Amino acid sequence: MNLVLFIHILSATAWIGGALLLFALGIFLRDKQAQSNVYDHLGPIYGYFESFWLVTLLTTGSYMFIHHGIGEVLLYAPGSQLGQNMLHKLYAVGLIALFTVVHMVIAFKVHKSTRTTFQNILMRGSSLLIFILNIVILWYAIRIRSLL
Ligand code: HEM
């Protein structure tokens, strides 16, 4: 079980760390040409890198969910602290998966070409929401662990 938790936490550091770095690049790399060069080269690698860790997070998370019998907690005591924290974490994970798909579909579509204003809003909006949801998920993850 420790190994699964280890892989889960390792995946969380890679997934969140990658997202934070790209988010910071978007804000601090002001030179448009440099930004476009970075995204052209790094974008696709980053997409595969993040997808891999998200799948690992979902797999190891589901394993621990079953192992700890959290399904029964949600079924028989959904109002308990553990049930509530897990539900909130799962909602946030669902949203993050959705925004990640939106973000990636547009990213691959506009790769090496110019984006429309609407695509720009969707790209920036989804990446901001992913950033915020990561913080929220981390908060619930720590609470869940202290309740188990
Ligand atoms: C973006 C997705 C996710 C992230 C970033 C994430 C992050 C984390 C982190 C950092 C911990 C360790 C907390 C600590 O040690 O204090 C943790 C624990 C846990 N996560 Fe996740 N998680 C994600 C998805 C999931 C999913 C989808 C599930 C269930 C279906 C899940 C179930 C759990 C459980 C049960 C624990 C506690 C394990 C234990 O204490 O033995 N996680 N998560």
Side-chain angles (χ1 to χ4, degrees), residues 1-2 5 8-13 15-16 53-54 56-68 70 82 86 89-90 92-94 96-97 133-134 137-148:
M1 197 59 214
N2 278 346
L5 179 61
H8 194 72
I9 295 178
L10 177 68
S11 312
T13 60
W15 158 261
I16 298 177
W53 292 114
L54 183 58
T56 317
L57 273 170
L58 296 178
T59 316
T60 49
S62 304
Y63 182 90
M64 295 190 296
F65 181 91
I66 295 166
H67 175 87
H68 289 297
I70 302 177
L82 180 57
M86 192 72 227
K89 183 176 172 183
L90 287 179
V93 170
I96 227 172
L133 283 166
N134 270 323
I137 291 174
L138 211 51
W139 172 255
Y140 285 117
I142 293 167
R143 289 180 63 109
I144 291 165
R145 181 141 173 80
S146 63
L147 288 167
L148 282 171

Side-chain angles (χ1 to χ4, degrees), residues 54-128:
L54 183 58
V55 169
T56 317
L57 273 170
L58 296 178
T59 316
T60 49
S62 304
Y63 182 90
M64 295 190 296
F65 181 91
I66 295 166
H67 175 87
H68 289 297
I70 302 177
E72 276 78 19
V73 175
L74 292 187
L75 207 59
Y76 300 113
S80 62
Q81 273 204 57
L82 180 57
Q84 283 298 303
N85 280 293
M86 192 72 227
L87 273 179
H88 289 141
K89 183 176 172 183
L90 287 179
Y91 291 145
V93 170
L95 285 176
I96 227 172
L98 179 75
F99 294 134
T100 302
V101 171
V102 170
H103 193 87
M104 279 185 179
V105 167
I106 303 170
F108 278 108
K109 210 168 158 184
V110 301
H111 185 54
K112 293 195 178 177
S113 63
T114 40
R115 310 170 187 177
T116 65
T117 311
F118 183 59
Q119 284 169 333
N120 237 334
I121 292 171
L122 279 181
M123 285 294 280
R124 292 193 177 180
S126 55
S127 94
L128 178 65

